[in-house]
């Protein structure tokens, strides 16, 4: 059995939004109360304001600076790593204060840029491969990304000797217990559904447990179906 609120979710907002903003949005679908009733607490952190190139250098609450909004755009690694450290720090605190007993009871996900950051955290953050699950709504990873540079394709893993394997390499086994759920509106005119699908295929080819779902007639938005799927992922990982 599990004690009340022994599981935790970090829900990360999209560009220019805030924790309280996305909290109001998801609670239109009773997100917190539905999870709270089965012992899951939800936190909604806010990104540190930083200049955002896509807004002409204006400052906004964004998890990462983007030099372009397409899969071929170069990664701005400094801001991504700063935001990863911020969320890793929140997880550190939850574990230190024994709010949760292990990283496997913590889920990280989000919408748009928040979902992108969740992928980085799950693939190359401090707790890579060991979280309860990752969810990404309307997000993607660039074609060239440090997030997966430390993952060895299980098909090629046999050619990597133990001596040469770097400490940060994720093994196939460690990833199988950290599912990745990607949901994307098929009518998204801001972040193409194809970009999300291509990311899911790449992760799947690396041996990750990935589910990708196209949501019919959904723009760059969340809806009740998306929230239902996130809650289902969390409950299924809790063995609820």
């Amino acid at each position: 059995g599990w004690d009340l609120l022994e599981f935790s979710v970090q829900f990360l907002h999209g560009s220019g939004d805030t924790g309280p903003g996305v909290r109001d949005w998801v609670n239109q679908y009773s997100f917190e109360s539905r999870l709270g009733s089965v012992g899951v607490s939800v936190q909604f952190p806010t990104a540190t304001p930083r200049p955002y190139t896509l807004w002409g250098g204006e400052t906004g609450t964004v998890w990462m600076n983007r030099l372009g909004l397409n899969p071929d755009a170069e990664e701005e690694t400094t801001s991504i790593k700063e935001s990863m450290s911020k969320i890793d720090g929140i997880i550190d605190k939850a574990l230190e204060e024994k709010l949760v007993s292990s990283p496997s009871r913590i889920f990280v996900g989000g919408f748009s840029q928040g979902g992108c950051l969740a992928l980085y955290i799950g693939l190359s953050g401090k707790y890579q491969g060991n979280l309860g699950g990752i969810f990404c709504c309307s997000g993607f990873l660039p074609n060239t990304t440090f997030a997966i540079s430390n993952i060895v394709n299980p098909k090629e893993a046999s050619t990597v000797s133990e001596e040469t394997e770097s400490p940060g390499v994720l093994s196939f086994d460690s990833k199988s217990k950290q599912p990745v759920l990607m949901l994307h509106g098929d009518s998204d005119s801001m972040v193409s559904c194809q970009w999300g699908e291509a990311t899911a295929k790449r992760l799947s080819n690396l041996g990750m447990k990935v589910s990708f779902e196209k949501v019919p007639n959904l723009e760059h938005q969340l809806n009740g179906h998306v929230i239902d799927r996130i809650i289902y992922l969390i409950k299924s990982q809790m063995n609820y």
Side-chain angles (χ1 to χ4, degrees):
W2 41 266
D3 296 330
L4 195 60
L5 302 184
E6 225 182 85
F7 291 80
S8 162
V9 177
Q10 296 294 325
F11 197 110
L12 312 178
H13 63 77
S15 310
D17 199 356
T18 62
V22 78
R23 182 184 191 178
D24 287 347
W25 192 12
V26 299
N27 282 342
Q28 290 174 23
Y29 308 100
S30 308
F31 187 68
E32 269 187 289
S33 61
R34 288 163 69 188
L35 285 172
S37 69
V38 293
V40 184
S41 64
V42 189
Q43 285 180 286
F44 299 92
T46 297
T48 304
R50 53 175 49 86
Y52 195 43
T53 301
L54 295 188
W55 296 342
E58 278 186 38
T59 298
T61 46
V62 292
W63 297 108
M64 62 194 78
N65 186 22
R66 282 199 189 280
L67 306 178
L69 186 57
N70 64 75
D72 294 320
E74 188 185 341
E75 269 180 330
E76 206 284 285
T77 55
T78 305
S79 57
I80 298 169
K81 288 182 174 176
E82 282 172 4
S83 291
M84 288 171 68
S85 295
K86 179 171 181 157
I87 305 305
D88 281 344
I90 293 172
I91 296 172
D92 287 342
K93 195 162 181 258
L95 291 166
E96 281 162 19
E97 295 178 359
K98 301 204 167 22
L99 301 175
V100 284
S101 57
S102 80
S104 65
R105 291 169 173 257
I106 297 173
F107 300 84
V108 180
F111 172 70
S112 194
Q113 204 185 78
C116 300
L117 183 64
L119 292 175
Y120 281 101
I121 290 164
L123 299 173
S124 59
K126 181 175 178 179
Y127 298 99
Q128 56 181 41
N130 294 310
L131 296 164
I134 300 294
F135 57 91
C136 173
C137 309
S138 313
F140 69 101
L141 287 173
N143 290 335
T144 304
T145 172
F146 72 83
I148 59 174
S149 60
N150 66 335
I151 299 173
V152 175
N153 186 324
K155 297 185 186 93
E156 298 160 9
S158 56
T159 64
V160 180
S161 74
E162 282 180 26
E163 291 78 37
T164 59
E165 193 167 330
S166 65
V169 172
L170 276 178
S171 73
F172 180 44
D173 289 344
S174 76
K175 296 193 301 295
S176 61
K177 65 188 177 199
Q178 178 190 272
V180 177
L181 172 65
M182 297 185 69
L183 298 144
H184 213 124
D186 68 0
S187 306
D188 193 328
S189 57
M190 184 181 289
V191 177
S192 167
C193 187
Q194 291 170 320
W195 303 349
E197 191 166 18
T199 296
K201 281 180 180 164
R202 284 174 77 195
L203 298 183
S204 180
N205 288 341
L206 285 166
M208 306 210 58
K209 188 174 166 186
V210 186
S211 305
F212 180 83
E213 186 178 338
K214 280 184 195 177
V215 185
N217 308 314
L218 184 66
E219 240 290 351
H220 194 66
Q221 294 282 342
L222 295 168
N223 66 7
H225 175 75
V226 170
I227 297 299
D228 288 347
R229 297 298 295 156
I230 296 168
I231 291 174
Y232 181 79
L233 166 78
I234 295 165
K235 284 185 173 180
S236 63
Q237 285 299 104
M238 291 166 65
N239 298 320
Y240 181 73

